[in-house]
Amino acid sequence: MMFKKILVANRGEIACRVFRTAKKMGIATVAVYSDADARSPHVLMADEAVRLGPAPAAESYLKAELILDAARITGADCIHPGYGFLSERESFARACAEAGIAFVGPPPNAIAAMGDKIESKKLAKAAGVNVVPGFLGEIADTDEAVKIASDIGYPVMMKASAGGGGKGMRLAWSEQDVREGFEATKREGLASFGDDRVFIEKFIESPRHIEIQVLGDQHGTIVYLNERECSVQRRHQKVVEEAPSPFVSPEMRRKMGEQAVALSRAVGYYSAGTVELIVSGADTSGEGFYFLEMNTRLQVEHPVTEEITGLDLVEQMIRVAAGEKLSFGQSDVRIDGWSIENRVYAEDPYRGFLPSIGRLVQYDPPAEVDAAEGRTRVDDGVLEGGEVSMFYDPMIAKLITWAPTREEAIDRQIAAIDEFVIDGPGNNLDFLSALMQHPRFRDGALTTGFIAEEYPDGFTGAPASPDLLKALAAVAAFAATAEADRARRIDGQLGKRLRPPSAWTVRIDGTDHQVDISTDGVVVDGDDLDLALEYTPGDHIVTAELGDEELTVRIARTRTGFRLTTRGASHVARTLPAHVAPYAQHLIEKIPPDLSKFLIAPMPGLLVRLDVKEGDAVQAGQPLAVVEAMKMENILRAEKAATVKSVEAKTGDSLAVDQVILELE
């Protein structure tokens, strides 16, 4: 029998996502929340809401007993855990069963079997699944680790058994690397996860991260819903996902899918789950794929699978939990077109991707589109005026596009990102657009090292073509004309009303462009430009028709012109009337202050440690302080040898971005 009321033991985007499907199915909804989320969209969206506790997850979303109490109070007959928090905790699934509340997910024994990286690899091997050559037993000491690594063949990866999120991993290219890193990996495992077991496996070169979505019911049917390519990662965190993969052939898909189903069957799996594989991009035979781990929950990137299969995975999970049979078989699973998802994060790509928090002063996602030629979908859990909190994951939204071909799906992403307005915390929209435009991404030549290899010195904005810069110069001149025209219309001015300038000198990215705006058209540097746009002073976005193309530009006033953001970069345009521009060369250049003598907080956060005091001599690279933000500790180091002149902050202080921590001399 179908459920009457569902409680989602989660927050933000995924809670909203589950509620949308539940409402469509006619199921009443219950939200739970911490003090930080009291006015969050997921709380407003639900029929009922129950407070759990203070903002830290350990005192709210991670407290199983509080969530079960909320289910009892509201009469919820099932709980969907979302992803993260308690979603892969066997004890929570068991507690739900003991309380007589259905857990919308797999059985507890399957969660337990797949939760231990060592045990899950043994199970996979027994089920006939390809596993990476490696040693899965307990390793006594460094000497034994060196022997094992030599037997497998370098390079090898040392991993903490209970690791996750990129923690407790070390790559070794030689015996010396093993000797230096084995004990450190053990210590990291113990400190982060309370488990110092380490396993060693072969490191796959040109690795691609490809995963198979599986779905099973409680009656023995298990199907695979094709694959997702998740190779574009930064520090082991996924950034871009797509389905299908540009690398996988139909034969390879079948082999991967059948092995994923065999593993699921071996642990008595039902509900939605994902078998993650590491795939050798250097192996074109289609045989070089190996089991990595199984995620016994709904994945963040599930929408791309939904877009190409036409299935609602949340609905399928609820129906399976209610005891229904799957209404389709393997032969009914289709691949229709191509879908891409970009994760929009609160982080500043221009400052080394440092986490960013704060109020969403403006939040205006692109319009959702559902048409035969393409679809645009935004899965989010935030509202304008809401806050990106330091207590939880920094993801703001997921931008999903679908189109008949991969190329068109990518182009839809670029257009949608240009329309996406976020003001307040730093965000990675420019970086995502740059990825979509990158020739290597468009060619599908992806590996997990893609971002590190293509942006070794960090991100400075997507490169702009000369034609794009000319078009932006024209947009800036057009906007400047409109602003000047409004200024001349203000009543009570002395003298006669002068017409706004039509000739402008626009300096953009260090180059001056001569722009003439007239009723006959737009001329840039002597060339006619086929450009049409409307701009009213105060507009945040302009859409220009540039020949046969559309160019969407986010526009903001500056003291001397405009900041124009489009196609993955922001460009500051200085606009001066052409008769005034020559005098600009006589302006005294303002030299920016030397900030190298200060240690500055790179992001808002908590100063958890100060390693130096006034008068201490420090060397380049020496740790000076540790700032905690977004659940991560960031070590701040000295850029050069110096002496600490003064300390301006103390341990325990909440720091604002760019706040001075100490001064060096």
Side-chain angles (χ1 to χ4, degrees):
M1 201 169 80
M2 186 43 68
F3 303 115
K4 290 186 169 55
K5 190 180 282 191
I6 188 169
L7 181 147
V8 178
N10 218 298
R11 63 177 298 279
E13 171 268 323
I14 188 58
C16 294
R17 165 73 192 87
V18 177
F19 289 154
R20 276 196 291 274
T21 289
K23 285 178 187 292
K24 188 178 75 180
M25 295 173 73
I27 301 170
T29 54
V30 181
V32 290
Y33 63 92
S34 72
D35 289 344
D37 285 336
R39 290 180 296 279
S40 290
H42 81 276
V43 176
L44 303 173
M45 194 174 178
D47 299 319
E48 298 172 75
V50 179
R51 177 186 176 272
L52 293 176
E59 297 172 45
S60 50
Y61 296 106
L62 288 171
K63 287 209 159 181
E65 67 278 11
L66 295 179
I67 287 163
L68 289 167
D69 283 346
R72 287 190 200 99
I73 293 163
T74 56
D77 48 1
C78 68
I79 292 178
H80 194 300
Y83 48 70
F85 294 143
L86 299 170
S87 62
E88 289 183 284
R89 219 168 261 191
E90 174 207 5
S91 57
F92 183 58
R94 287 196 193 283
C96 289
E98 286 162 14
I101 299 166
F103 179 73
V104 184
N109 58 311
I111 298 175
M114 290 294 114
D116 185 306
K117 281 190 165 67
I118 291 178
E119 289 306 313
S120 64
K121 280 195 164 52
K122 288 178 179 172
L123 270 165
K125 201 168 186 179
V129 178
N130 297 355
V131 294
V132 178
F135 184 82
L136 301 178
E138 290 213 29
I139 301 166
D141 53 26
T142 303
D143 287 337
E144 191 184 351
V146 167
K147 182 182 183 306
I148 290 163
S150 303
D151 291 345
I152 294 168
Y154 293 101
V156 297
M157 181 70 89
M158 296 178 286
K159 290 184 182 178
S161 174
K167 293 186 179 74
M169 296 169 74
R170 268 189 175 67
L171 180 57
W173 293 90
S174 64
E175 179 180 326
Q176 185 185 348
D177 290 349
V178 177
R179 290 198 180 280
E180 287 175 1
F182 179 71
E183 288 298 330
T185 308
K186 281 186 77 157
R187 283 194 302 274
E188 258 180 44
L190 190 62
S192 296
F193 310 103
D195 184 344
D196 71 350
R197 289 178 302 158
V198 171
F199 66 95
I200 297 179
E201 65 184 16
K202 178 80 176 161
F203 177 67
I204 309 300
E205 296 188 67
S206 299
R208 299 177 82 112
H209 186 122
I210 296 174
E211 58 193 32
I212 299 286
Q213 175 72 57
V214 294
L215 180 67
D217 62 24
Q218 297 186 47
H219 306 275
T221 303
I222 305 175
V223 296
Y224 61 90
L225 306 179
N226 310 312
E227 80 286 350
R228 294 185 288 259
E229 171 90 54
C230 308
S231 296
V232 182
Q233 304 178 2
R234 198 182 61 76
R235 296 184 192 148
H236 305 287
Q237 293 288 345
K238 297 165 190 170
V239 179
V240 184
E241 299 105 354
E242 61 181 303
S245 161
F247 183 72
V248 174
S249 65
E251 178 64 10
M252 190 177 181
R253 180 175 299 120
R254 184 184 62 77
K255 286 179 183 171
M256 286 174 158
E258 286 174 357
Q259 287 195 15
V261 167
L263 176 61
S264 304
R265 204 174 291 289
V267 293
Y269 201 90
Y270 55 80
S271 193
T274 296
V275 176
E276 303 210 350
L277 303 164
I278 190 91
V279 180
S280 171
D283 184 349
T284 53
S285 70
E287 301 290 334
F289 62 88
Y290 308 96
F291 173 76
L292 196 59
E293 63 181 335
M294 183 172 189
N295 288 314
T296 54
R297 55 171 168 80
L298 190 66
Q299 294 276 88
V300 176
E301 58 272 22
H302 73 272
V304 292
T305 297
E306 294 183 326
E307 292 295 321
I308 65 162
T309 59
L311 294 166
D312 180 331
L313 286 179
V314 173
E315 179 184 345
Q316 295 299 324
M317 290 179 80
I318 294 170
R319 292 192 182 283
V320 166
E324 290 187 14
K325 290 184 175 181
L326 291 184
S327 60
F328 58 91
Q330 190 62 59
S331 59
D332 302 312
V333 177
R334 61 197 173 102
I335 298 182
D336 175 23
W338 215 285
S339 183
I340 293 176
E341 172 181 293
N342 272 303
R343 299 190 187 189
V344 181
Y345 281 117
E347 61 185 13
D348 190 345
Y350 295 100
R351 300 178 66 158
F353 296 93
L354 288 168
S356 187
I357 59 175
R359 191 160 303 288
L360 287 161
V361 178
Q362 266 191 301
Y363 177 75
D364 190 9
E368 299 217 348
V369 178
D370 187 356
E373 66 273 12
R375 296 192 289 272
T376 302
R377 163 180 166 184
V378 180
D379 281 15
D380 60 16
V382 296
L383 284 173
E384 190 165 281
E387 196 158 349
V388 177
S389 157
M390 66 188 282
F391 296 104
Y392 312 115
D393 185 82
M395 192 169 72
I396 297 172
K398 300 185 312 202
L399 177 64
I400 303 114
T401 56
W402 174 91
T405 66
R406 184 172 187 265
E407 195 82 5
E408 291 169 297
I410 295 170
D411 288 341
R412 287 192 77 83
Q413 280 282 346
I414 296 167
I417 291 167
D418 281 345
E419 293 173 22
F420 212 134
V421 178
I422 299 175
D423 186 17
N427 65 77
N428 66 338
L429 287 171
D430 284 357
F431 181 64
L432 296 176
S433 182
L435 290 177
M436 295 295 100
Q437 296 172 67
H438 200 290
R440 184 174 153 190
F441 178 81
R442 295 180 79 94
D443 288 346
L446 310 175
T447 68
T448 53
F450 174 81
I451 289 175
E453 289 158 16
E454 298 301 325
Y455 300 95
D457 302 319
F459 178 70
T460 53
S465 68
D467 288 345
L468 177 60
L469 292 176
K470 278 189 170 185
L472 291 177
V475 169
F478 195 97
T481 303
E483 297 274 0
D485 189 50
R486 185 181 68 166
R488 82 183 182 94
R489 293 173 191 274
I490 295 169
D491 273 353
Q493 298 185 65
L494 293 173
K496 65 179 190 292
R497 295 185 180 184
L498 298 171
R499 291 200 59 75
S502 59
W504 297 87
T505 298
V506 180
R507 172 164 289 185
I508 192 163
D509 288 7
T511 302
D512 285 347
H513 299 275
Q514 306 306 319
V515 185
D516 284 288
I517 308 276
S518 69
T519 50
D520 298 329
V522 180
V523 177
V524 181
D525 299 334
D527 298 324
D528 287 329
L529 198 66
D530 185 5
L531 180 84
L533 76 148
E534 286 184 17
Y535 172 78
T536 303
D539 283 353
H540 294 296
I541 284 191
V542 294
T543 300
E545 288 177 20
L546 193 59
D548 298 331
E549 284 185 42
E550 263 196 3
L551 180 67
T552 301
V553 183
R554 298 197 293 282
I555 184 167
R557 281 300 313 254
T558 64
R559 196 170 55 80
T560 56
F562 303 89
R563 178 182 293 277
L564 306 171
T565 305
T566 189
R567 302 292 157 96
S570 287
H571 305 271
V572 174
R574 187 191 73 183
T575 53
L576 292 172
H579 67 281
V580 172
Y583 299 106
Q585 64 184 314
H586 300 297
L587 292 173
I588 297 167
E589 191 176 345
K590 189 175 179 183
I591 308 296
D594 176 20
L595 298 178
S596 65
K597 62 182 180 179
F598 298 105
L599 181 69
I600 291 171
M603 78 291 254
L606 188 70
L607 183 60
V608 293
R609 206 175 79 214
L610 257 177
D611 295 325
V612 291
K613 60 184 186 300
E614 201 172 304
D616 284 2
V618 299
Q619 300 302 314
Q622 180 179 331
L624 301 178
V626 177
V627 176
E628 185 187 290
M630 291 287 188
K631 301 184 287 186
M632 289 182 69
E633 290 193 354
N634 302 274
I635 300 171
L636 308 183
R637 300 176 186 276
E639 289 183 12
K640 57 187 180 184
T643 304
V644 179
K645 181 180 178 184
S646 65
V647 178
E648 306 294 334
K650 61 183 184 300
T651 306
D653 282 0
S654 285
L655 303 173
V657 67
D658 292 336
Q659 185 173 333
V660 173
I661 299 169
L662 51 87
E663 186 179 351
L664 302 165
E665 62 180 358

